[in-house]
Amino acid sequence: MPIQTSRRSFIKGAAATAATATAALIVGFAPNGALAATGEGNLTPFVKITPEGKIIAIIKHFEMGQGTTTGLSSLIAEELNSELKDVDFEFAPADNSRYANTLFGAQGTGGSTAMANSYLQYRKAGAAAREMLIMAAAKAWGVSAAELRLENGVISGAGKTGSIAEFVAAASALSPPENPTLKSAADFKIIGNPARGRKDTPAKINGTAIFGMDIQLPGQIYVAIIRSPRLGGKLTSFDASGAEGMTGFIEAKALPNGKGVAVFAKNTWAAFQARDAVVADWDFSAAETRSSEEIKQDLLTKVNSESEFSATPDADLKDTLSALEGAAQVVESEFYFPNLAHAAMEPISCTIEPTSDGGVVVHDGCQFPALTHPTVASVLGLDLSKVQINTLLAGGSFGRRANADSDYHVEAAMAFALTDRSKPVKLVWSREDDMRAGYYRPAFAHKVRVGLDEAGKIIAWDHRVAGQSIMKGTAFEQFAVHDGVDHASVEGAADTNYAIPGFHLGLTDLEPSVTVLWWRAVGHTHTAYVMESMMDMVAKAAGRDPIDYRLELLSSGTPDQKRLAGVLQLAAEKAGWGQELASNRAQGVAVHKSFGTYVAEVVEISRDDDEVVRIENVTCVVDCGTPVNPDVIKAQMEGGIGYGLGAVMRNEITLENGEVMQYNFPEYEPLRIYDIAKINVHVVPSTEPPTGVGEPGLPPAGPALANAIAAIGPRVTMLPMSQSGVEFYWA
């Protein structure tokens, strides 16, 4: 049964919040970064305590399964000495001026930045609320605030006791402390406690959690879009006569941008059925016509040629090439990585609902309000104040829901504008839509040549990369592209923490072929595979243990190197590295820093008499600074490992004459539960500032598997592995 919600209930809730604002204690920050509270001008709230004593965390980063609602609520609960279960949460409104992500200057969630961005913001807001409540109680009782403490919603001390509800009104009249005292790590009860589970799990189990796909409003109509079968095609005409008379079909109209036909119906099934009956004609003169094989060969040609740009400007390519010529031996290899789909479990959807004042409410699992908010306003010709965003849960994203074009929001807004704007319009993508008309991880090729001296030490590293830029031509280009280099194309390699003499990396852009976008872990998805595969190949050529060889290159003593070495050594210990294995078993290792987090993984495989590979065990060690929610961290590492391994094992998006060949999961198979026998995650205790965990588990997974396979089988450099002769266990 669909979950019901309505504009009335949404507006009613917002009005109730405004009505109680003067009676509630609301703590956040002023535009100048100082702590501020109820009634203090342009406040950005992070914690709200109602007159009844209910604690609410205002979540600025949306929830797509990565645990932000739990993590940010935990920070409030910790500083208010409350149990996590007693802290509710609500998503922040779309307001870029108040809720911008401080790490990239716009309101949005991504790049594993939620905790790194918000850790101190939420702790300070919670600590300030604690001190204000205690001060209000101290004044009411005529005692010193130093004699009082707040615990589980009760203030006590000096022979007095009372619930926080008794002091909310008085506390709301106080000014927050400039520098509230944060709890010491030794006193943490919530932060770092592995027994504290996720806040959103019960609602997701019992069905009360509301996702974008769940929205069903009174009078709502549905829309499905016919899109060009070739990437870049433009609509010339369409014939909807085949849909006329079909049950539930309303009408079909061309999108004003020429990218498709909007088919309106009374329910999702009717919209999909009617869409299949509409015939559309397309102009393919500007569309993609290449095949994936042509793109692959173009990329491999580029990495065997002179690079367009240098991603290591402090290095001299001539010196690198000269050192290679004098090397005792040269280890070299080419690598290829295909396009990949995001393939989140919940396909794209978005509902636009009219309001009585001529505005709209956008109901969406909205990842980047800073893009969505002005885009919808522009398409509909509305002032920004007339567009509200009701942020809902999302069933995964992996980057898909945030792109510079706000593609599906544009579709939803255009479809709504094609109606008389009197009814809610719900855009629904099918799985096939998502697979064939979405955005993809760019295809990339690498060519690496490493020169070694007589002792097996690296003396030169010539690394060439070619692929389609994610950032160029978008609003992000101005800060993400420097001297022609899109950092997203080379991150994890150009900025390697290995001390490699004569390291040079060149980059060449591929002419745009598909709509590309960041994909979980972005550039690290291919650079880590190459760097860690080459490390094993070089160690073997040098006759060295691959872990010892890495540790030697991490021995200069920088903070990054120390933490990388730390996770690598612990992973080796936990995995039993160096112990004798059966002849049909092997281990592979990889270590990588991404999004500020250090992860080492050891993959152990078996191979039967038919050369079928099974992943028996993955040992993961993660150093993400202060581990706020160990249970969430463990889950994110497991998810990232599974997502990364599934992709390198068998996934690819292929084109034939510009058309995507994959339709659904039978052609783009997700990881199965039997693909990995066991994953063991070890979280490093730390007091360093917390960093991200949504993406860093992925980059080392693929190369660790590749290194394990290479120990008893082929060295796989052309992905996916299933297309390079590796057969995996099938339950």
Side-chain angles (χ1 to χ4, degrees), residues 372-384 387:
T372 302
H373 201 193
T375 296
V376 171
S378 176
V379 172
L380 295 179
L382 296 174
D383 185 85
L384 206 60
V387 177

Side-chain angles (χ1 to χ4, degrees), residues 562-697:
K562 289 178 180 178
R563 293 175 75 176
L564 282 167
V567 294
L568 181 58
Q569 290 169 318
L570 186 56
E573 175 190 331
K574 296 295 185 181
W577 184 270
Q579 296 180 7
E580 187 174 349
L581 300 173
S583 60
N584 71 328
R585 286 190 174 236
Q587 290 181 325
V589 67
V591 61
H592 194 74
K593 177 193 175 185
S594 62
F595 305 95
T597 293
Y598 310 81
V599 181
E601 293 169 13
V602 175
V603 172
E604 183 172 333
I605 64 166
S606 64
R607 192 173 68 161
D608 65 19
D609 292 340
D610 294 323
E611 298 188 350
V612 174
V613 172
R614 178 172 184 175
I615 301 172
E616 299 289 351
N617 189 28
V618 180
T619 301
C620 170
V621 174
V622 53
D623 176 355
C624 56
T626 299
V628 175
N629 296 110
D631 183 61
V632 171
I633 295 168
K634 179 181 178 182
Q636 285 301 294
M637 290 299 111
E638 292 170 343
I641 289 166
Y643 195 77
L645 289 179
V648 301
M649 289 163 68
R650 58 176 74 96
N651 288 164
E652 61 178 336
I653 290 293
T654 59
L655 304 179
E656 289 186 14
N657 198 28
E659 293 188 29
V660 174
M661 292 294 100
Q662 287 68 33
Y663 286 76
N664 207 314
F665 288 137
E667 299 87 22
Y668 192 92
E669 186 179 354
L671 190 83
R672 305 292 186 177
I673 195 168
Y674 52 73
D675 279 327
I676 306 174
K678 187 187 301 183
I679 300 178
N680 296 300
V681 177
H682 306 274
V683 182
V684 174
S686 176
T687 56
E688 294 288 335
T691 49
V693 297
E695 294 163 282

Side-chain angles (χ1 to χ4, degrees), residues 31-83:
N32 64 1
L35 280 160
T38 312
E40 295 191 352
N42 190 23
L43 169 67
T44 299
F46 286 104
V47 58
K48 176 171 62 179
I49 304 176
T50 70
E52 299 77 26
K54 181 180 179 181
I55 303 169
I56 301 171
I58 312 299
I59 306 299
K60 66 183 287 191
H61 302 277
F62 100 127
E63 176 70 70
M64 51 187 151
Q66 81 280 33
T68 53
T69 51
T70 299
L72 300 181
S73 296
S74 295
L75 304 178
I76 298 295
E78 186 67 81
E79 293 298 342
L80 282 169
N81 287 323
S82 176
E83 287 297 327

Side-chain angles (χ1 to χ4, degrees), residues 489-510:
S489 297
V490 297
E491 59 184 356
D495 52 2
T496 180
N497 287 294
Y498 289 120
I500 300 176
F503 183 90
H504 182 275
L505 190 148
L507 172 67
T508 300
D509 288 332
L510 174 72

Side-chain angles (χ1 to χ4, degrees), residues 177-191:
E178 288 186 13
N179 295 295
T181 302
L182 301 179
K183 290 177 66 174
S184 68
D187 295 327
F188 287 164
K189 295 193 306 180
I190 308 295
I191 295 175

Side-chain angles (χ1 to χ4, degrees), residues 132-346:
M132 293 168 74
L133 287 165
I134 289 175
M135 180 59 69
K139 287 185 176 181
W141 293 337
V143 300
S144 169
E147 299 180 73
L148 306 180
R149 69 174 281 105
L150 188 160
E151 188 85 32
N152 293 327
V154 175
I155 300 174
S156 61
K160 305 283 188 177
T161 184
S163 71
I164 59 174
E166 299 174 41
F167 307 104
V168 168
S172 68
L174 301 176
S175 295
E178 288 186 13
N179 295 295
T181 302
L182 301 179
K183 290 177 66 174
S184 68
D187 295 327
F188 287 164
K189 295 193 306 180
I190 308 295
I191 295 175
N193 189 335
R196 297 296 191 271
R198 290 180 62 120
K199 286 194 63 62
D200 53 351
T201 297
K204 289 178 177 177
I205 292 174
N206 64 31
T208 58
I210 300 178
F211 292 78
M213 196 63 80
D214 294 322
I215 292 295
Q216 185 169 312
L217 306 173
Q220 173 176 296
I221 60 177
Y222 297 75
V223 63
I225 308 295
I226 302 172
R227 302 175 184 85
S228 171
R230 288 189 195 171
L231 299 171
K234 286 286 188 178
L235 181 72
T236 56
S237 64
F238 72 93
D239 179 3
S241 60
E244 293 175 1
M246 294 182 68
T247 301
F249 171 66
I250 298 174
E251 62 179 340
K253 292 186 176 182
L255 294 177
N257 62 2
K259 292 186 177 182
V261 180
V263 180
F264 298 90
K266 294 181 179 179
N267 57 63
T268 301
W269 179 248
F272 287 164
Q273 291 295 100
R275 181 178 63 174
D276 291 344
V278 175
V279 177
D281 295 317
W282 305 91
D283 175 7
F284 295 131
S285 60
E288 179 59 64
T289 60
R290 287 173 290 179
S291 69
S292 291
E293 187 58 32
E294 290 176 280
I295 293 170
K296 176 180 178 179
Q297 293 307 317
D298 186 18
L299 288 171
L300 290 173
T301 298
K302 291 181 185 300
V303 294
N304 280 282
S305 306
E306 184 177 347
S307 299
E308 282 185 286
F309 311 105
S310 173
T312 49
D314 294 335
D316 191 324
L317 177 59
K318 291 182 179 179
D319 291 343
T320 297
L321 297 178
S322 176
L324 278 169
E325 289 181 5
Q329 60 175 319
V330 175
V331 181
E332 63 180 283
S333 186
E334 294 178 346
F335 296 82
Y336 176 71
F337 303 85
N339 291 117
L340 294 173
H342 297 83
M345 288 296 105
E346 181 193 18

